[in-house]
Amino acid sequence: MLYLIHGDQAEAARAKLIELKNQAANKEIREINGKRLDSTMLIHALESSSLFGADVFVIIEGFITHAKKREKSFTTTLSQIVKASETADIVLFEEKEVEKSVLLKLGAKCMAYGYKTPVVIFQFLDSVRPNNAATSLSYLSEVVENDAAEVVFALLVRRVRQLIQLKDNVTPEGLQEWQAGRLTSQARHFTIEQLVRMHKRLLAIDIAVKSSASPFTLTQQLEQFIINL
């Protein structure tokens, strides 16, 4: 059986991966760094017998994202994975959304689980700036109707860290050029001192939530954070 877990909603994607690993507890689990995967590595992972005589459960992480640029070898190895999944359990785990053209190559029998961060979450993150509380609170209210406040909080912390880096003329790792441009525009609404204070406030919220030291829910604390910008 071939499984694909993909998307940028890391917490949900990892939870699904753990679920599949738990279901395969009676098998020998082998995890492969897909960034360097080639045909030889794949054959070795799939055909080497288990020391305990159990079936193997192979997890390949990051193969599609990192190998797709090498189109010829990528297509060949991907075809081998699909063929091998007829007799072995293989999980492809990708931290980004996989293109539809690649999904077609995986075949109709592939069990695909996509975890994409809703657009409204990014609208909320982009709206965070002084004197824009009404808009931000509206987006936040919409977000928490369907997603856990913890997910929003984690993404907000990451966004503030990225803004601090950009304010300090450092481009955060992994940002596309267009993303860096959008975040640079957002950073202009803050001073570096304001951003550092925001980060400290978020840290205090995190400690309060984990220690149950606050009477407010995480959503309520996020609302207070936005209002006080």
Side-chain angles (χ1 to χ4, degrees), residues 63-95:
F63 167 67
I64 295 174
T65 303
H66 292 87
K68 195 173 184 303
K69 293 179 181 179
R70 304 192 301 273
E71 190 61 40
K72 185 176 180 179
S73 61
F74 168 76
T75 300
T76 300
T77 305
L78 189 64
S79 296
Q80 290 176 318
I81 290 173
V82 173
K83 180 65 177 176
S85 69
E86 295 176 1
T87 55
D89 289 325
I90 303 175
V91 178
L92 295 172
F93 185 90
E94 302 292 331
E95 293 183 340

Side-chain angles (χ1 to χ4, degrees), residues 55-227:
D55 293 331
V56 295
F57 185 83
V58 180
I59 300 169
I60 304 172
E61 186 166 343
F63 167 67
I64 295 174
T65 303
H66 292 87
K68 195 173 184 303
K69 293 179 181 179
R70 304 192 301 273
E71 190 61 40
K72 185 176 180 179
S73 61
F74 168 76
T75 300
T76 300
T77 305
L78 189 64
S79 296
Q80 290 176 318
I81 290 173
V82 173
K83 180 65 177 176
S85 69
E86 295 176 1
T87 55
D89 289 325
I90 303 175
V91 178
L92 295 172
F93 185 90
E94 302 292 331
E95 293 183 340
K96 296 182 179 180
E97 187 177 12
V98 170
E99 298 174 1
K100 290 183 179 179
S101 59
V102 177
L103 289 175
L104 292 174
K105 292 179 181 179
L106 295 178
K109 293 183 180 179
C110 175
M111 296 289 292
Y113 302 93
Y115 298 94
K116 182 179 179 180
T117 302
V119 173
V120 68
I121 290 183
F122 293 109
Q123 291 174 322
F124 164 69
L125 295 172
D126 291 344
S127 74
V128 175
R129 61 178 184 270
N131 304 315
N132 200 41
T135 299
S136 296
L137 290 173
S138 177
Y139 282 134
L140 179 61
S141 176
E142 184 177 350
V143 167
V144 296
E145 286 182 3
N146 300 301
D147 291 274
E150 288 77 10
V151 173
V152 184
F153 179 78
L155 292 173
L156 180 58
V157 171
R158 185 179 70 176
R159 173 61 63 90
V160 171
R161 289 173 179 169
Q162 290 172 329
L163 294 175
I164 291 173
Q165 288 179 282
L166 288 166
K167 201 70 177 178
D168 202 30
N169 297 315
V170 176
T171 301
E173 184 178 350
L175 279 189
Q176 300 285 340
E177 185 176 346
W178 65 269
Q179 293 173 313
R182 192 181 75 237
L183 268 63
T184 297
S185 296
Q186 184 178 11
R188 294 193 184 102
H189 293 279
F190 302 93
T191 65
I192 188 68
E193 291 78 14
Q194 286 176 313
L195 290 169
V196 170
R197 284 197 299 270
M198 288 166 63
H199 190 267
K200 289 181 178 178
R201 174 57 183 149
L202 290 170
L203 176 60
I205 291 174
D206 188 42
I207 293 173
V209 169
K210 290 178 178 178
S211 62
S212 301
S214 173
F216 301 105
T217 66
L218 180 55
T219 298
Q220 290 171 330
Q221 293 195 70
L222 284 170
E223 290 171 345
Q224 293 172 16
F225 175 84
I226 295 300
I227 292 170

